[in-house]
């Protein structure tokens, strides 16, 4: 592994669809979700050092100690790898330049963790397959395996069973609006009452909807599938969620939804020029953080 620092892109995700279908005895929720990596991304730079793993992050709200998910990922990789290569000393300095809002439903921490696993695997000559890295990633969090593959996918189980889907957002522009509220994912899940009959009604035809998505949806048709069980929980507490959705729709979004446990809301636009002008309008007039992005694997370039 070279001692020259190498930078890696660590993309965010949005959930186009999220249904919580149950709770396991160990407390994890089972879900069916359609996730898409997007071009809004952090940069994770890794430099090999003598023996310690250290992290620094541009966002003061993110811990820099061993609780940082990037730190945990490096330790996990190293613990596994040293089982093969006993005795070699390892250290790394990981610098995270945050652009993805923190605790925002965009999976920033999980993505950083996956990026570290991918980067270390590359440094050491790819000793692990993607499948093996995915299994390792699950120890760090339910969303982390998704970021190992970085492709739009339907995730089931607790999020670790991934089925790739193609073309869902090709040609679309995404406007993300983050109202500067930090949300604890755990609290949102705690406030979700799965016994309510409304969830059973809304989950009608779930298998059929998943089947349709897996068969391939023609561009511009994904909007009618937008759905998130967690939106009602977060929106009940923060009225801005509904306000942002309505604002995006009134400005021409073809669909709008809260991502994950929120509070970030995204709008989908089939017309990139419209999306650009909505981005400028919202960034100039509203007290929200606004980003423009595309599907990561469709465009594979950075967000504005
Ligand atoms: P979730 O994956 O639970 O949906 P999220 O996407 O809403 O989370 P993150 O930005 O991943 O939110 O942050 C969740 C928590 O993880 C925050 O409290 C944050 O301090 C902590 N954290 C640890 N490491 C990182 C990291 N590298 N980047 C961002 N947050 C981190």
């Amino acid at each position: 592994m070279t001692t020259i620092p190498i930078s890696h892109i660590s993309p965010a995700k949005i959930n186009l669809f999220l249904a919580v279908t149950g709770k396991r005895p160990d407390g994890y929720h089972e879900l069916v979700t359609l996730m898409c990596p997007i071009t809004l991304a952090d940069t994770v730079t890794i430099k090999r050092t003598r023996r310690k793993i250290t992290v620094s992050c541009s966002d003061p709200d993110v811990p820099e100690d061993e609780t940082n998910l990037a730190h945990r990922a490096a330790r996990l990789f190293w613990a596994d790898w040293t089982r093969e290569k006993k005795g070699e000393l390892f250290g790394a300095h990981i610098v995270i330049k945050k652009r993805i809002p923190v605790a925002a439903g965009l999976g920033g921490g999980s993505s950083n963790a996956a990026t570290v696993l991918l980067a270390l695997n590359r440094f050491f000559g790819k000793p692990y397959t993607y499948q093996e890295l995915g299994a390792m990633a699950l120890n760090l969090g339910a969303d982390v395996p998704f970021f190992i593959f970085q492709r739009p996918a339907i995730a089931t189980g607790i999020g670790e069973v991934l089925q790739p889907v193609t073309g869902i957002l090709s040609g679309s522009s995404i406007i993300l609006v983050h109202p500067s509220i930090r949300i604890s994912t755990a609290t949102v899940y705690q406030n979700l009452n799965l016994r309510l009959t409304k969830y059973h009604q809304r989950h009608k035809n779930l298998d059929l909807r998943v089947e349709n998505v897996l068969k391939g949806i023609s561009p511009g048709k994904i909007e009618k599938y937008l759905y998130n069980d967690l939106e009602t929980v977060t929106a009940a507490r923060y009225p801005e969620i509904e306000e942002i959705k309505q604002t995006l729709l009134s400005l021409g979004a073809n669909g709008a939804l809260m991502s994950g446990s929120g509070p970030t809301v995204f709008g989908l636009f089939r017309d990139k020029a419209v999306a650009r002008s909505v981005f400028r309008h919202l960034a100039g007039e509203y007290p929200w953080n606004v980003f423009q992005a595309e599907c990561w694997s469709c465009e594979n370039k950075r967000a504005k």
Side-chain angles (χ1 to χ4, degrees), residues 139-162:
N139 294 299
L140 300 165
D143 280 352
V144 187
F146 165 79
F147 286 107
I148 294 290
F149 297 95
Q150 299 185 345
R151 296 194 45 200
I154 297 249
T156 51
I158 58 167
E160 84 288 16
V161 183
L162 296 164

Side-chain angles (χ1 to χ4, degrees), residues 253-274:
N254 302 105
L257 190 74
M258 188 185 84
S259 181
S261 49
T264 307
V265 175
F266 63 87
L268 301 181
F269 293 80
R270 281 176 223 147
D271 187 322
K272 288 195 180 180
V274 173

Side-chain angles (χ1 to χ4, degrees), residues 175 223 226-227 231 241 244-249 253-258 265-269:
I175 298 293
E223 290 86 356
L226 297 183
Y227 173 75
E231 193 181 74
I241 306 293
I244 296 169
K245 267 181 89 172
Q246 292 314 320
T247 306
L248 284 164
L249 292 169
N254 302 105
L257 190 74
M258 188 185 84
V265 175
F266 63 87
L268 301 181
F269 293 80

Side-chain angles (χ1 to χ4, degrees), residues 9-272:
I9 302 293
S10 183
K13 57 86 182 161
I14 52 173
N15 300 81
L16 295 157
F17 181 92
L18 194 160
V20 183
T21 52
K23 193 173 175 188
R24 299 195 321 194
D26 62 5
Y28 275 102
H29 283 86
E30 285 165 327
L31 30 97
V32 179
T33 182
L34 170 57
M35 291 195 275
C36 183
I38 59 172
T39 53
L40 171 65
D42 294 338
T43 308
V44 176
T45 304
I46 307 179
K47 180 178 187 275
R48 181 156 190 189
T49 57
R50 277 178 166 253
R51 52 178 70 195
K52 263 174 71 180
I53 297 168
T54 48
V55 173
S56 66
C57 182
S58 61
D59 188 323
D61 287 340
V62 174
E64 293 182 325
D65 59 10
E66 63 286 345
T67 63
N68 189 295
L69 278 158
H71 198 294
R72 289 183 53 205
R75 285 202 318 273
L76 182 69
F77 184 95
W78 193 243
D80 220 277
W81 179 233
T82 43
R83 252 176 251 138
E84 322 274 329
K85 276 190 121 224
K86 286 189 187 70
E88 191 178 323
L89 290 176
F90 170 75
H93 183 52
I94 303 169
V95 179
I96 305 170
K97 189 161 187 293
K98 273 273 158 206
R99 296 189 73 228
I100 306 170
V102 175
L106 299 173
S110 302
S111 175
N112 295 168
T115 301
V116 168
L117 294 181
L118 287 165
L120 294 183
N121 197 44
R122 228 172 286 143
F123 280 145
F124 290 104
K126 299 204 178 159
Y128 298 107
T129 63
Y130 281 95
Q131 255 62 33
E132 287 167 336
L133 282 183
M136 206 188 280
L138 188 59
N139 294 299
L140 300 165
D143 280 352
V144 187
F146 165 79
F147 286 107
I148 294 290
F149 297 95
Q150 299 185 345
R151 296 194 45 200
I154 297 249
T156 51
I158 58 167
E160 84 288 16
V161 183
L162 296 164
Q163 292 171 278
V165 297
T166 47
I168 42 164
L169 285 181
S170 19
S172 289
S173 252
I174 308 157
I175 298 293
L176 298 127
V177 181
H178 174 250
S180 295
I181 307 162
R182 284 185 63 166
I183 302 243
S184 146
T185 306
T187 311
V188 174
Y189 274 100
Q190 271 157 24
N191 291 328
L192 179 75
N193 184 350
L194 283 171
R195 280 188 293 265
L196 296 180
T197 44
K198 68 177 182 188
Y199 290 112
H200 297 293
Q201 278 155 9
R202 289 193 199 149
H203 292 177
K204 241 167 68 186
N205 301 329
L206 191 59
D207 290 346
L208 186 65
R209 281 182 269 167
V210 168
E211 213 177 286
N212 285 344
V213 172
L214 287 172
K215 267 195 250 159
I217 293 182
S218 46
K221 290 279 189 298
I222 193 66
E223 290 86 356
K224 71 172 187 209
Y225 289 84
L226 297 183
Y227 173 75
N228 186 352
D229 272 339
L230 303 178
E231 193 181 74
T232 42
V233 180
T234 308
R237 190 138 177 236
Y238 300 102
E240 285 107 310
I241 306 293
E242 196 49 40
E243 187 193 343
I244 296 169
K245 267 181 89 172
Q246 292 314 320
T247 306
L248 284 164
L249 292 169
S250 71
L251 291 170
N254 302 105
L257 190 74
M258 188 185 84
S259 181
S261 49
T264 307
V265 175
F266 63 87
L268 301 181
F269 293 80
R270 281 176 223 147
D271 187 322
K272 288 195 180 180

